Amino acid sequence: MFQSTIDFILDLGPSVMLPIIMTIFGLLLKQGFNKSFRAGITIGIGFVGINLVIGLLTTSLSPATEAMVERFNLNLSILDVGWPVGAAISFGTTLAPVMIPIIIVFNLILVALNWTKTINVDIWNFWHLIFSTSLVYIATNNAFLAIAIGLIVTGITLKLADWTAPVVEHHFGLKGVSLAHSETVNFAPITYALNKVQDKIPGLNKLHADPETLRKRFGVFGEPLVMGLLLGLLIGILGEYNIQGILTLGIQMAAVLILLPRMVALLMEGLIPISEGTRDFVTKRFPGKEVYIGLDAAVVIGNPANMAVALLMVPITLVLAVILPWNEMLPFADLAVLPFTVIWAVAASRGNIIRGLINAIVTVMIVLFIATNIAELTTKMGDAVGFAMPESSSLISGIDVGSHILVFILYNLLDPTSPLFITAVIFGVIYALLWYWVRNDIKKEYAKELSIDKKTLK
């Protein structure tokens, strides 16, 4: 019965459940039924719109990437099966039904103890947190250890969401929202450190190319719709499409760059009364306390600079897969999720496409390393839930799966005899030091917007 209830909620999806959750949330915040109901339905419609555009992106890019793979005769031993398979495998494992309520209760306890400000309502992306739990369980057959690792990943993810919330408000324009999306936000300390290094490099620190600058300098050719068109044409040419296919892909990518921000604007319209109600409620009852609503990173991927870098990374990712000595995975199904993968690569540069592209290349290099090294365990997880293996490959992984830095580090630290133990120690130390190094950078960057006194920063 419990499993059936969980399955029912998950099957409804965010576009149905979010309006219900947000309506109830609004009523609890004393926003009134009419205001709460309208906000909930608007949020649901926004998610439907976002998913429709992401669907267009996926169905347009997948054939183009397949054509590029065939054209350049790419052949690697591990197949990228895509995030939907990763989610299905994670939700299908033994501990998945238990982890969902455990994560919710754990999150609420952390909020009550002031350890985090984020209330994560993005239940459908709990699969990233459950993936961490399931991976450790498959490897160790120890449920308590697996749950503990899952909760550690959850806690760190919530802290990262808190830390990056000012960026979500001031760069992406979503007030009162954070992104507790573990496989994206865990790259923020790395990309902010890269941006800090780039500030010190002569020449590079002067280069700036965000969509607004490009629009001013190049007129219509700097606008998002033209950038999308040109990038779509480029991908079509690399895939050896005919003229009709190249032009069609160009228009489709232009449509994605224009439609996604508009769908996000609709979502924001619904979020405004809920976030304002949350702020008023918390201010009255808990003076000085701040709470964020944790949402899917899909709400920010439509940023024009983010989409421009993501589309540029499609052919670059295939090149990296071939030339990197540590990679054995053929990027395929998850190339369409690159807009998610590069979110913090671009946000750290405040929309600077040049720096964002450099950050994105480093991000993908790390992703390919992790994806290759957890492929065996991911395949075991797939076998455990009865996933039908593709005939072309004996091992499966994915760009999204390979984005889980935290579980890669923690899992390999569990076994001192593991060949990757030293690598995990080095990764863990570097990751912690980078985060400590840039911990105040977001506050400094948005000091004016956050009204933070300089003495406080010191």
Side-chain angles (χ1 to χ4, degrees):
M1 186 184 297
F2 182 72
Q3 177 70 59
S4 298
T5 303
I6 294 296
D7 289 343
F8 176 75
I9 292 172
L10 293 173
D11 289 343
L12 285 175
S15 58
V16 175
M17 281 304 297
L18 264 181
I20 297 172
I21 292 172
M22 289 303 183
T23 300
I24 295 172
F25 207 32
L27 291 172
L28 292 174
L29 297 171
K30 297 185 178 180
Q31 294 292 296
F33 177 78
N34 290 343
K35 193 174 183 180
S36 302
F37 182 70
R38 188 183 188 284
I41 296 299
T42 304
I43 290 169
I45 293 170
F47 258 99
V48 169
I50 289 170
N51 286 329
L52 285 173
V53 182
I54 292 174
L56 170 62
L57 175 68
T58 304
T59 54
S60 303
L61 271 185
S62 292
T65 55
E66 184 175 5
M68 279 191 281
V69 167
E70 291 178 0
R71 178 186 177 185
F72 296 106
N73 194 27
L74 302 181
N75 187 21
L76 295 163
S77 60
I78 302 169
L79 183 64
D80 172 6
V81 293
W83 74 266
V85 174
I89 289 173
S90 298
F91 279 133
T93 52
T94 308
L95 292 177
V98 179
M99 280 304 294
I100 293 174
I102 287 177
I103 290 170
I104 293 172
V105 172
F106 183 63
N107 186 178
L108 294 175
I109 290 172
L110 294 182
V111 171
L113 295 175
N114 293 320
W115 205 87
T116 183
K117 301 175 183 178
T118 296
I119 299 176
N120 190 6
V121 300
D122 185 22
I123 297 172
W124 301 269
N125 278 303
F126 277 18
W127 81 261
H128 299 289
L129 307 171
I130 294 169
F131 175 81
S132 304
T133 305
S134 300
L135 192 78
V136 175
Y137 183 59
I138 289 293
T140 65
N141 201 32
N142 187 324
F144 293 105
L145 181 61
I147 291 171
I149 293 296
L151 292 182
I152 291 171
V153 171
T154 300
I156 296 173
T157 299
L158 291 171
K159 292 300 290 184
L160 286 168
D162 291 346
W163 176 55
T164 54
V167 187
V168 178
E169 176 178 349
H170 299 294
H171 178 66
F172 292 114
L174 288 169
K175 192 171 185 178
V177 170
S178 66
L179 306 178
H181 216 214
S182 62
E183 92 291 10
T184 58
V185 76
N186 62 191
F187 276 101
I190 297 172
T191 55
Y192 270 88
L194 287 171
N195 192 62
K196 199 164 185 173
V197 171
Q198 290 158 3
D199 281 335
K200 308 295 183 183
I201 300 176
L204 180 59
N205 57 10
K206 302 295 182 183
L207 295 176
H208 190 82
D210 61 61
E212 186 61 34
T213 303
L214 293 176
R215 189 181 299 115
K216 289 178 180 177
R217 181 168 296 182
F218 300 107
V220 69
F221 291 98
E223 294 185 9
L225 78 165
V226 178
M227 284 194 294
L229 174 67
L230 295 176
L231 292 170
L233 295 176
L234 173 63
I235 294 170
I237 291 169
L238 291 174
E240 282 194 318
Y241 275 23
N242 58 27
I243 294 297
Q244 181 183 0
I246 292 171
L247 294 175
T248 300
L249 186 60
I251 294 297
Q252 288 171 332
M253 293 303 98
V256 168
L257 260 69
I258 290 298
L259 292 176
L260 259 181
R262 297 188 181 183
M263 294 303 101
V264 172
L266 187 61
L267 179 79
M268 288 167 58
E269 182 184 331
L271 279 173
I272 288 171
I274 300 297
S275 61
E276 288 179 348
T278 302
R279 188 172 61 254
D280 293 343
F281 181 86
V282 171
T283 301
K284 289 178 182 177
R285 288 161 180 77
F286 307 98
K289 190 179 179 69
E290 190 175 16
V291 174
Y292 303 122
I293 301 170
L295 290 181
D296 188 337
V299 300
V300 301
I301 68 166
N303 177 274
N306 186 75
M307 288 302 303
V309 170
L311 292 177
L312 285 169
M313 283 303 299
V314 171
I316 292 174
T317 298
L318 291 172
V319 172
L320 289 173
V322 174
I323 66 174
L324 291 175
W326 58 74
N327 179 63
E328 296 176 23
M329 185 185 76
L330 175 64
F332 180 59
D334 262 351
L335 284 168
V337 305
L338 284 171
F340 290 86
T341 310
V342 304
I343 285 171
W344 292 104
V346 184
S349 68
R350 296 199 78 165
N352 186 334
I353 294 172
I354 297 171
R355 289 194 186 190
L357 188 60
I358 295 170
N359 295 343
I361 290 172
V362 175
T363 296
V364 169
M365 289 170 67
I366 296 171
V367 167
L368 292 175
F369 177 83
I370 296 174
T372 295
N373 283 285
I374 65 171
E376 188 174 339
L377 273 177
T378 305
T379 305
K380 285 182 180 179
M381 285 174 60
D383 290 337
V385 300
F387 172 70
M389 292 294 298
E391 293 181 6
S392 59
S393 181
S394 59
L395 291 174
I396 61 171
S397 192
I399 291 174
D400 198 294
V401 165
S403 298
H404 292 82
I405 298 175
L406 298 174
V407 69
F408 173 78
I409 294 171
L410 293 171
Y411 158 67
N412 283 292
L413 287 177
L414 294 175
D415 183 9
T417 63
S418 166
L420 289 173
F421 177 76
I422 299 299
T423 303
V425 171
I426 295 171
F427 266 44
V429 170
I430 291 174
Y431 190 85
L433 290 175
L434 290 180
W435 192 358
Y436 181 79
W437 187 39
V438 299
R439 70 194 186 284
N440 289 323
D441 281 21
I442 289 174
K443 289 180 180 179
K444 290 177 182 177
E445 189 174 347
Y446 296 101
K448 185 177 180 181
E449 293 91 335
L450 295 170
S451 300
I452 298 174
D453 187 84
K454 289 183 179 179
K455 291 181 181 179
T456 304
L457 286 174
K458 291 180 180 178

